[in-house]
């Protein structure tokens, strides 16, 4: 029998900051979104102050200062690398791993259902070992729950939160657990994975208030009256697996690269640098996933709150599907010229706050139909390989297109230092990228 184990990092962004700041252990921390706009991650100490995820920073800034909360700008390079390290540790315990998000993964665990008592003890010990190994290897605390289905593993993760509040190790083998029935009976239906608040309210209106009520419902009736998702959730709560691990990963159909600017920008050269940088990073991602693109869209926006509002969009189909940065950048340059407007009808300058690129109609590289003249593209493929190898070895933006600006300028735009000019995000409270940038490595003074 295979069981599902869910490994969920606790307050992941905050935990990444704490991993390099031992002085912040058990201290309140929160992390902000792009351009320091809103709270996206917080520790329980901050939740106790009434601050919620999604709250605009300016609304709670005084409260955070009053209670000496450490506030950080988002440090995505650090968080992505720490996530990779967590997943590496998890993969030691199972060859079958599905990473669901930056801070969460499911794995399969084999067990013998003929000897449940001994197996429960073994799995509980295994979960605790996994918890210690992840903490030792990365400094990131996790919650681990083991159950018969993905949905029950999610319920078990909520139970693990309860253990965490009781100052116990947040690891639980929820399979045949003595508290399982009681916890499911008291868990609100809105907190069940796959239900959510909108559907939860509809179910509450017909008397289904808790996870147990949904578990006891008739699956076929849930499908006929609502949808197949609720039927599967009902079956999963009964311990019948319906949602299995996606070990291959579904191929993406599109890829979006975009960022809000740290300040309003009117200079087309700066906006074009942003577009070109998004093309470079997007094309690199396509090559990593061995995908090619048949259509791209470039868009720029002043934002919906601007006095002079404008959103420019232009798209083009490619003659030949590709992931070549040079080709995609040339097309994007022409699209940018089509959608950019410098002045409004009254003669005032448009002030742009965002630019982005969408790569559509993605297909595997292997699906490319070669033509008689494809030998002409061989050199380009080798150039792209060299570009990727150099940036992987020496760091992001070590080698870039001239239209992106200089490597030094791009590194400053993405650094922890204040971005006084240019199109980069405002991240005035960003910590160093300890694990990915040589210049920002932690220094220990004796």
């Amino acid at each position: 029998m295979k069981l599902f184990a869910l490994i969920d990092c606790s307050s992941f962004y905050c935990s990444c900051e704490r991993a390099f700041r031992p002085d912040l252990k058990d201290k309140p921390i929160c992390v902000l979104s792009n351009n320091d706009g809103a709270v996206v991650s917080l520790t329980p100490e901050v939740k106790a102050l009434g601050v919620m995820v999604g709250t605009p920073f300016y609304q709670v800034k005084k409260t955070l200062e009053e209670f000496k909360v450490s506030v950080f700008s988002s440090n995505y390079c650090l968080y992505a690398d720490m996530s990779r390290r967590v997943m590496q540790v998890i993969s030691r315990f199972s060859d079958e791993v599905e990473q669901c998000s930056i801070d969460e993964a499911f794995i399969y665990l084999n067990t013998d259902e003929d000897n449940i008592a001994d197996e429960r003890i073994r799995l509980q010990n295994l979960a605790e070992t996994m918890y210690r190994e992840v903490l030792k290897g990365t400094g990131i605390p996790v919650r681990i729950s083991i159950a018969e289905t993905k949905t029950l593993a999610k319920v078990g993760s909520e139970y693990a939160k309860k253990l965490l509040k009781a100052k116990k190790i947040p690891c639980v083998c929820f399979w045949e657990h003595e508290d399982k029935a009681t916890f499911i009976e008291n868990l609100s239906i809105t907190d069940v994975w796959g239900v959510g608040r909108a559907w939860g309210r509809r179910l509450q209106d017909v008397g289904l208030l808790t996870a147990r009520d949904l578990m006891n419902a008739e699956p076929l009736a849930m499908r006929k009256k609502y949808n197949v998702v609720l039927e599967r959730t009902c079956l999963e709560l009964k311990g019948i697996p319906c949602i299995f691990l996606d070990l291959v990963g579904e191929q993406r159909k599109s890829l979006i690269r975009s960022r809000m600017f740290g300040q309003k920008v009117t200079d087309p050269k700066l906006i074009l640098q942003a577009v070109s940088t998004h093309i470079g990073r997007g094309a690199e991602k396509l090559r990593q996933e061995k995908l090619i693109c048949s259509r791209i869209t470039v868009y720029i926006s002043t934002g919906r709150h601007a006095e002079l509002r404008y959103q420019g969009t232009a798209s083009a189909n490619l003659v030949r599907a590709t992931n070549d940065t040079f080709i995609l950048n040339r097309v994007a340059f022409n699209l940018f010229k089509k959608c950019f407007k410098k002045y409004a009808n009254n003669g005032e300058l448009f002030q742009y706050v965002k630019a982005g690129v969408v790569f559509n109609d993605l297909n595997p590289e292997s699906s490319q139909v070669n033509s008689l003249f494809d030998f002409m593209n061989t050199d380009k493929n080798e150039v792209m390989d060299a570009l990727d190898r150099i940036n992987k070895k020496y760091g992001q933006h070590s080698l870039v297109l001239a239209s992106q600006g200089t490597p030094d300028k791009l590194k400053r735009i993405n650094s922890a230092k204040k971005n006084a000019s240019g199109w980069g995000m405002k991240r005035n409270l960003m910590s160093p990228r300890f694990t990915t940038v040589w210049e920002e490595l932690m220094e220990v003074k004796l």
Side-chain angles (χ1 to χ4, degrees), residues 151-164:
T151 303
L152 283 174
K154 281 279 191 177
V155 174
S157 186
E158 292 297 314
Y159 181 81
K161 280 186 183 179
K162 181 180 173 184
L163 296 178
L164 187 60

Side-chain angles (χ1 to χ4, degrees), residues 293-334:
C293 162
S294 299
R295 179 180 175 83
I296 65 171
T297 300
V298 172
Y299 64 91
I300 52 177
S301 174
T302 59
R304 60 185 179 183
H305 301 299
E307 292 182 14
L308 287 172
R309 283 186 291 179
Y310 171 71
Q311 173 145 339
T313 305
S315 301
N317 292 318
L318 304 178
V319 176
R320 186 177 187 275
T322 185
N323 53 26
D324 188 296
T325 302
F326 295 148
I327 296 172
L328 293 171
N329 195 58
R330 280 198 297 270
V331 176
F333 181 80
N334 292 327

Side-chain angles (χ1 to χ4, degrees), residues 34 78 104 132 153 155 279:
N34 291 353
L78 176 65
E104 194 175 49
R132 287 191 294 269
V155 174
I279 284 287

Side-chain angles (χ1 to χ4, degrees), residues 15-294:
S15 296
C16 290
E17 301 292 350
R18 274 181 173 165
F20 297 91
R21 290 282 304 276
D23 57 308
L24 294 179
K25 184 180 180 182
D26 299 327
K27 300 286 179 64
I29 298 175
C30 74
V31 175
L32 305 178
S33 63
N34 291 353
N35 289 311
D36 298 342
V39 176
V40 292
S41 181
L42 41 76
T43 56
E45 298 89 352
V46 182
K47 284 183 183 178
L49 300 176
V51 179
M52 304 292 288
V53 170
T55 305
F57 179 46
Y58 75 89
Q59 290 183 2
V60 294
K61 188 175 180 180
K62 287 186 178 179
T63 302
L64 298 177
E65 288 175 351
E66 181 184 349
F67 289 93
K68 298 181 179 178
V69 176
S70 297
V71 182
F72 295 92
S73 300
S74 296
N75 189 342
Y76 298 120
C77 288
L78 176 65
Y79 307 152
D81 188 60
M82 293 299 286
S83 172
R84 179 186 62 80
R85 291 164 187 250
V86 170
M87 299 305 156
Q88 278 185 334
V89 177
I90 291 171
S91 63
R92 297 176 196 165
F93 296 87
S94 175
D95 295 329
E96 299 171 298
V97 181
E98 178 194 354
Q99 182 174 355
C100 312
S101 63
I102 195 169
D103 64 345
E104 194 175 49
F106 283 102
I107 65 173
Y108 276 134
L109 293 176
N110 291 313
T111 188
D112 179 9
E113 58 185 326
D114 294 330
N115 193 1
I116 293 176
D118 289 344
E119 281 295 276
R120 283 200 69 258
I121 294 172
R122 182 183 71 83
L123 291 170
Q124 181 70 38
N125 291 336
L126 179 65
E128 292 178 7
T129 301
M130 203 183 309
Y131 168 85
R132 287 191 294 269
E133 287 296 305
V134 173
L135 188 62
K136 177 184 175 183
T138 66
I140 304 294
V142 295
R143 295 193 309 276
I144 300 174
S145 59
I146 300 170
E148 307 94 296
T149 67
K150 275 188 170 182
T151 303
L152 283 174
K154 281 279 191 177
V155 174
S157 186
E158 292 297 314
Y159 181 81
K161 280 186 183 179
K162 181 180 173 184
L163 296 178
L164 187 60
K165 288 178 181 178
K167 305 295 183 183
K168 297 179 181 178
I169 292 181
C171 301
V172 58
C173 179
F174 212 54
W175 177 47
E176 301 292 337
H177 194 281
E178 57 185 4
D179 295 338
K180 178 179 172 181
T182 304
F183 189 78
I184 289 176
E185 189 170 0
N186 293 317
L187 183 67
S188 171
I189 198 165
T190 58
D191 292 330
V192 176
W193 186 55
V195 176
R197 299 200 178 280
W199 277 107
R201 285 193 291 269
R202 289 186 62 178
L203 295 174
Q204 286 171 337
D205 289 340
V206 296
L208 298 176
L209 306 177
T210 68
R212 186 176 183 81
D213 294 332
L214 181 57
M215 182 178 72
N216 291 335
E218 177 57 43
L220 189 58
M222 298 304 296
R223 179 174 187 164
K224 287 181 177 178
K225 191 171 183 179
Y226 300 104
N227 55 43
V228 69
V229 175
L230 286 177
E231 178 194 29
R232 287 174 184 162
T233 304
C234 179
L235 288 167
E236 289 250 319
L237 286 171
K238 295 176 186 289
I240 303 170
C242 298
I243 310 168
F244 298 94
L245 295 195
D246 181 9
L247 301 176
V248 177
E250 187 177 349
Q251 182 205 302
R252 66 168 84 231
K253 301 299 180 185
S254 63
L255 172 65
I256 300 174
R257 294 290 307 184
S258 67
R259 282 287 186 273
M260 293 288 289
F261 303 149
Q263 58 190 4
K264 295 174 181 177
V265 180
T266 58
D267 186 349
K269 291 181 180 178
L270 289 178
I271 303 172
L272 187 56
Q273 281 183 7
V275 170
S276 194
T277 301
H278 295 325
I279 284 287
R281 294 290 291 136
E284 182 182 22
K285 185 73 173 175
L286 292 179
R287 292 192 293 273
Q288 285 175 357
E289 298 184 12
K290 300 189 182 304
L291 296 173
I292 50 177
C293 162
S294 299

